[in-house]
Amino acid sequence: MTEQNLTAVEALAAFARRHTDDRAVQALVDAATLELAGRTVVRPDQHAVPRRFVLRRRTDISGISGTGDVADGVLWPDGTAAVRWRGEHPSAVHWDRGQASVELIHGHQGATEIVWLDQDDDEPAAAPAPTVNPAAASLRLRRVVDHALNKPVPCPKCRRTTTCGCMADRTEGRIDAVLAALAPWLVDGQAA
């Protein structure tokens, strides 16, 4: 294959391979994919599952879809989303930028919210046994905290987990989410 026939991603990878190892090249390509396409690269060896959700509408601003659970959706492991509308005239749409696009386009400033039917696949693991390698426990603990920091936190005023107009501070909810994630890791106030 000549350089003229390379895709932009292949050209980026080929250039990077001249200066670094394959692992760093793959990380660069994955970061570029996330930044440019808004999706995560999911490898065959990764355990990642789709998450189901419904769009629950409290107020029908458009007067077309009604209120209640108006659509069913799936958030794919790569971060993209598919939505299938209910009703007499159903349709389906795919969003490359996933949850952010669904909330922006269909959220109607909080009139519609995403309600998750499945739990995230990265739920905190049970506390590690004392014989566990401390470095491995540290990595797992970092993943648990990272997961907790990215969980949707309800607004203390309107209880929405999506963007709302209340301008309320969600810090307490975020702290509660982190503490709940850390609970299995703590024994009598000390890290396990």
Side-chain angles (χ1 to χ4, degrees), residues 27 52 113 159 185:
R52 297 173 304 137
E113 67 178 328
R159 305 307 299 161
W185 296 84

Side-chain angles (χ1 to χ4, degrees), residues 1-191:
M1 180 179 271
T2 65
E3 296 229 9
Q4 298 152 335
N5 296 333
L6 295 177
T7 66
V9 172
E10 291 168 338
L12 174 65
F15 176 76
R17 278 194 187 91
R18 295 181 200 149
H19 303 284
T20 189
D21 60 49
D22 283 341
R23 189 174 184 178
V25 169
Q26 195 59 59
L28 175 66
V29 169
D30 291 353
T33 301
L34 180 60
E35 184 175 336
L36 298 173
R39 65 177 183 80
T40 303
V41 176
V42 181
R43 307 258 176 261
D45 61 340
Q46 291 175 300
H47 175 70
V49 294
R51 288 180 68 199
R52 297 173 304 137
F53 63 87
V54 294
L55 289 180
R56 187 162 294 153
R57 185 158 285 165
R58 284 184 293 285
T59 305
D60 185 9
I61 293 172
S62 67
I64 296 172
S65 56
T67 58
D69 293 348
V70 295
D72 302 287
V74 176
L75 182 66
W76 299 105
D78 67 354
T80 60
V83 175
R84 175 80 177 162
W85 292 94
R86 297 178 179 187
E88 291 181 36
H89 305 283
S91 63
V93 64
H94 178 83
W95 296 104
D96 287 339
R97 297 208 180 259
Q99 183 177 348
S101 292
V102 172
E103 288 172 345
L104 178 72
I105 305 299
H106 303 297
H108 299 290
Q109 291 84 32
T112 304
E113 67 178 328
I114 292 176
V115 177
W116 296 103
L117 302 176
D118 296 319
Q119 294 297 321
D120 196 352
D121 66 327
D122 278 340
E123 287 299 310
T131 57
V132 171
N133 175 352
S138 175
L139 178 59
R140 284 197 306 270
L141 182 58
R142 285 177 185 271
R143 289 187 68 211
V144 166
V145 171
D146 181 55
H147 172 72
L149 289 172
N150 289 310
K151 264 191 165 176
V153 173
C155 172
K157 292 183 179 179
C158 67
R159 305 307 299 161
R160 290 186 191 124
T161 57
T162 58
T163 305
C164 64
C166 298
M167 301 300 288
D169 185 11
R170 297 187 188 200
T171 303
E172 287 300 314
R174 181 74 53 222
I175 291 170
D176 290 343
V178 171
L179 289 176
L182 290 176
W185 296 84
L186 302 175
V187 179
D188 297 327
Q190 297 180 0

